[in-house]
Amino acid sequence: MEAITELINVDFSSVFAAVFIILVGLKAIVPLLEWAVEKLGLETKWMRRRREEHTLLVRTSQNLDALQKTHAQDMQKSDLHDKALQADVKKLAAMFIDKQIDDMRYEILNFSASLSAGHTYHREAFDHIMKLYHKYEKILSEHNLENGLVEESIKYIQEKYRESLNSSPKKEAI
């Protein structure tokens, strides 16, 4: 019971002040001890850990710089590759358009030549050629190209179509 009464009589403000003074003293003594240990050339576990963390941080920074340089080079290569692909796609598109125009032109001219040789055709064949001609004209206008022989052939085809409409329906067409 005596211990409890003594505990109640303790001046807690003095205890807190003493603890505070001890902590401030330790705070001042620790850097002094670190300085002394460093001057003696000794290395503590705490100092070694701090040095290793610093070395790791420097190495990570260097690796990040190298990675950024590599990334920049890769982006330049990627941009060059993209430009090359775009150029190839443009070439292929131009080749495809040229082939499509040539095929349409050939079919229209061939149909016209066949008509001039005396062959007869059904209305569906004439409709197909006229639709093909409209597609042909559309492609030419979209790509700022000009029409040549096909216009004259279409005029001839239209003339023959009108003649076939005016002729007797009893004639059989091929």
Side-chain angles (χ1 to χ4, degrees):
M1 189 76 154
E2 258 181 57
I4 294 176
T5 43
E6 283 182 30
L7 188 59
I8 293 174
N9 291 334
V10 172
D11 184 16
F12 285 107
S13 61
S14 299
V15 171
F16 287 129
V19 169
F20 181 73
I21 290 171
I22 292 171
L23 290 175
V24 169
L26 285 175
K27 178 85 171 145
I29 291 173
V30 168
L32 184 63
L33 289 175
E34 285 179 6
W35 176 80
V37 169
E38 189 178 324
K39 288 298 179 188
L40 292 174
L42 301 175
E43 186 176 42
T44 64
K45 186 187 275 187
W46 179 77
M47 290 172 63
R48 182 176 41 243
R49 190 176 317 142
R50 190 169 67 171
R51 181 180 44 79
E52 288 171 355
E53 287 175 357
H54 176 72
T55 305
L56 180 63
L57 182 62
V58 168
R59 192 172 343 133
T60 302
S61 175
Q62 291 170 346
N63 289 342
L64 184 59
D65 286 343
L67 186 62
Q68 286 176 336
K69 288 178 185 175
T70 304
H71 176 70
Q73 290 171 350
D74 289 346
M75 289 303 295
Q76 288 176 345
K77 289 178 183 176
S78 177
D79 289 345
L80 291 175
H81 183 68
D82 287 350
K83 288 178 183 176
L85 283 176
Q86 286 175 348
D88 288 346
V89 167
K90 284 181 182 179
K91 285 179 187 176
L92 285 174
M95 289 171 56
F96 176 74
I97 290 168
D98 286 345
K99 170 94 171 94
Q100 194 176 21
I101 289 171
D102 288 344
D103 289 349
M104 289 177 177
R105 181 182 296 130
Y106 175 78
E107 189 172 348
I108 293 168
L109 293 175
N110 192 34
F111 189 83
S112 175
S114 179
L115 278 176
S116 68
H119 293 116
T120 57
Y121 291 96
H122 290 282
R123 179 179 176 191
E124 290 81 16
F126 283 99
D127 287 343
H128 169 72
I129 290 297
M130 292 311 295
K131 287 178 185 175
L132 185 66
Y133 174 72
H134 292 299
K135 287 180 185 177
Y136 175 77
E137 283 294 317
K138 183 179 177 187
I139 290 173
L140 289 179
S141 66
E142 286 174 354
H143 297 93
N144 297 324
L145 299 172
E146 293 183 12
N147 188 350
L149 289 173
V150 176
E151 284 182 17
E152 294 302 318
S153 295
I154 284 296
K155 289 178 185 175
Y156 180 73
I157 291 169
Q158 288 172 338
E159 179 183 316
K160 288 295 187 179
Y161 180 62
R162 282 188 207 98
E163 288 177 11
S164 72
L165 289 178
N166 292 334
S167 67
S168 66
K170 294 179 185 175
K171 257 188 176 174
E172 194 60 36
I174 58 172

